[in-house]
Amino acid sequence: MASSSLICSLTSAASTCLPLSKPGTTPCKTEHGRRRRLSCKARAGNVGARDDDTVVHHNIDRREVLLALSGFTAATKLGLALAADDTKPAVCLTPPITNEVIKCVSADGFQCPGLFRPEDVVDFTALPRSNGPLRVRRPAHLVAADDEYVKKYEAGIRMMKDLDATDDPRSFRRQAAIHEAYCNFHYKVTAAATAATTAAGSPAPEIDFDVHFSSIFAPWHRMYIYFFERIIGELVGDPTFALPYWNWDAPDGMILPAIFNNESSPLYDAKRNQEHVDAVIDLNLGPGKQNDLPLCSDDACLKATNLCTIYRQMAVDTPAQFHGDKFCAARVKAPGSLENVAHTAVHIWLGDPLSANTGEDMGVLGTAGRDPVFYSHHANVDRLWHLWTGALGHENFVGASAGQWLDTGFVFYDEKRRPVRITVRDVLDAGRLGYAYEEKETLEWLDKRPKPATGIERSGVGPRVPVAISFPVTLRKGDKEYVTVERPEKARAGAGGGSSNKEPEVLVVDVTIDPCEYAKFDVLVNVPKGQEARVGPQDSEFAGSFVNLPHGGGDGGSGGGMGRPLTLAYRFALRELVEDLGCGRDRLLDVTLIPVAGERVVVDDVRVELLK
C-alpha cells in the first residue's frame, strides 16, 4: 500500500467522552453504529519461515471481533464496531484550516474562550517586531536557584489567576480553556468548508477538529505557548520574560522541577499523581507497568532507557514521521513521533487520572492546560522540534507541496488583548518569534542509538501465527499478537539491503481506539516467541510504543465528538532497526504486539511501507 501525505476516511455517528472516572467505571458513552466489512490480509504459518509463507485473505466484519470484547455494554460494543460508514462520502479538506473554516461550539457546560469579532482581528505580520533582546527559555530544574526569576514567574501566574473572575482573555482559566477547546473536540469544521468536498447533493457531515494527530500539533502548540509567555511578560512588566522548559530529555531534568512542587506556589497543582512527583520519570511507562518486558530497578537504568526512547523519537528521517501527516477531516489520522512518544508519556506519568493517588489535570486533554507545568512541558516539546529542524539537520523540511500547511492559521488573544491571526508560516523560526533556548547540558540522547539485544536465542522455531488470524484483531492485555509482514522489494534492493533516509522504511500499524481511554501497546521486531522479556527500549528489536492520551475531562467532557472510535495510522521507523539487526536482505519481518493498557484497542492492519 503506497503511503500518502493525506489520509482520508469516512465519517460516522458520534457520542461524547464524559469526565474521566476512577478504575472500575467507564468514562465514555457511545451509541449504536453500522457494520463495516473489510478486505484484509494476514500471514499464516510459521513466523520463522520465509519464501514459502502464504497470504491468507479474509473478509471479516469488525463487529464480530469487537463484540467479543469483555466488559462492554452492548451499546459500547456496537459503537466501537463502527470505524467508518460506507454510506457516507470521504471528506478531506482542500482549504487550509483557518478561523473561517472551523468554529467553537459552546455546549454541555463548556463555554468557548477567546471569542472575537472578525473585524477586530489583526494579522500577526502587521504587528511590529520586537527590537529587544531574545527571550531565553532556560531549563526548569536550573532556574530554581534564580529566586528573582521564580518570584516573577509565580507573580505572573498569580496575576493570570486573579483575572479568572473577569472576562479578560488573558486569565489563566481562559488560557487553559483554549487548549480544552482545540484539543477536546469543541471545534467543528464548518459545513461551508466541507460542502465542496462531498458528493453533489450530499449533506455535509459535522466534522470534529483537533490539533492532535497531524502536522498541526507542533505549530499550534508553539503559537499557544508563545502568546501565553507574552501575557506573563506583560503582566509582570518584563518583555524579556521567558517560560522555563522542563527538559525531561536530560538525565538531571527527568524529575518534576522543584519550582512546580511547592504547595504554597501558584505553580503547584494538586491533581498530579503523587507517586510520581518526586520520582524519575519513565518515558516508556504509559499508564501501566510493562507486560513481560524488562523493568529497571534503579534510576540510572531508567534514565538510560529514557535516553534511548528520546533517540528513537528524534532519529526519524522525514517530516511525516516527525510531525505527522496533513490534517484530513475524517477518521484515519497519522500522528508523528514528536507527539506520540515522550510528549504523551509525560502527560500520563504526571496526571494519570486512573491513579489511586490523585492525578488528572495533565493526564486528560480536557484539563491538561490547568496545570502550570503543562506550559513548560510543551516548551520542551517545542524545543525538540527546534532541535530537529536545526541541530539535527532538517532545516529544509518544508516541501514544495506544503502550502496548505503553511497557510493553516488560528486566532489567539495577545498580551494587549488583541485577537491576532497567526499562521504556521509565521512560527517556523523561533528566532523570528523573539525567543531562544539555553542549552547548557549535553544532548546525551544523541549517542543512545539502541543496540541489538543480548542473550536472545534465535536458533529455535519462531512464533506461530494461527492459520485463521486476520485483521482486525482485538488486543487484550496478557495476550501477545504475532504477525509476519512482507517488506517492499525496493527496500531490500538497496546497498546491503535496507531503505535510504530519503525514502525510509516504516512499519505501519492501523489501530482503532476509544479516544476516551488510555491505550498502549509495544511493538517488537524479530524477537522469537517466549523471549520478549529480554527486550526493552534500549534494544534495536524494540520498534517503539503506541500510547493514547485520553480525551474527555474538562467542562462537559469532549465536545460531542469523540466517544466514537478513532482510527490512527502510526509509523515505527525501521531503517536503523533493519541495519542494526542485519536483516536488510530479508523479505519478511516478524512483528510482536504487546498490549499494555486499554480495553478497546483494535489493530486493523500491520504492514511495511516506504515513505516518500
Side-chain angles (χ1 to χ4, degrees), residues 89 170 254 453 581:
R170 303 173 302 172
M254 290 179 182
L581 298 184

Side-chain angles (χ1 to χ4, degrees), residues 23-42:
T25 61
T26 302
C28 302
K29 59 182 180 181
T30 55
E31 298 176 359
H32 287 65
R34 295 184 179 89
R35 181 176 64 181
R36 181 191 183 192
R37 296 190 68 83
L38 303 174
S39 177
C40 307
K41 64 180 180 180

Side-chain angles (χ1 to χ4, degrees), residues 538-559:
Q538 71 281 4
D539 301 312
S540 302
E541 293 88 345
F542 189 92
S545 302
F546 169 84
V547 187
N548 179 61
L549 176 63
H551 291 74
D555 297 326
S558 77

Side-chain angles (χ1 to χ4, degrees), residues 24-26 66 69-72 80 474-477 514 517-520 597-602:
T25 61
T26 302
L66 289 171
L69 291 173
S70 60
F72 275 127
L80 284 176
T474 299
L475 298 185
R476 296 180 178 85
K477 190 172 180 179
D514 176 353
E517 79 163 356
Y518 287 110
K520 182 177 190 288
E599 298 179 355
R600 296 171 282 274
V601 181
V602 178

Side-chain angles (χ1 to χ4, degrees), residues 34-40 42 58-74 76-83 468-476 479 481 510-512 599-605:
R34 295 184 179 89
R35 181 176 64 181
R36 181 191 183 192
R37 296 190 68 83
L38 303 174
S39 177
C40 307
H58 291 274
N59 198 21
I60 187 167
D61 187 339
R62 175 177 292 167
R63 185 183 335 195
E64 295 171 0
V65 175
L66 289 171
L67 285 177
L69 291 173
S70 60
F72 275 127
T73 64
T76 302
K77 295 173 185 175
L78 289 170
L80 284 176
L82 175 63
I469 191 172
S470 59
F471 293 113
V473 172
T474 299
L475 298 185
R476 296 180 178 85
D479 295 334
E481 297 292 342
D510 291 336
V511 58
T512 298
E599 298 179 355
R600 296 171 282 274
V601 181
V602 178
V603 174
D604 301 306
D605 191 23

Side-chain angles (χ1 to χ4, degrees), residues 476-523:
R476 296 180 178 85
K477 190 172 180 179
D479 295 334
K480 304 176 185 66
E481 297 292 342
Y482 303 95
V483 61
T484 299
V485 293
E486 184 171 2
R487 299 172 60 213
E489 182 178 354
K490 188 175 182 180
R492 311 192 306 267
S499 58
S500 69
N501 58 3
K502 294 182 179 179
E503 205 171 8
E505 188 176 8
V506 294
L507 179 71
V508 183
V509 179
D510 291 336
V511 58
T512 298
I513 60 173
D514 176 353
C516 301
E517 79 163 356
Y518 287 110
K520 182 177 190 288
F521 60 86
D522 298 317
V523 179

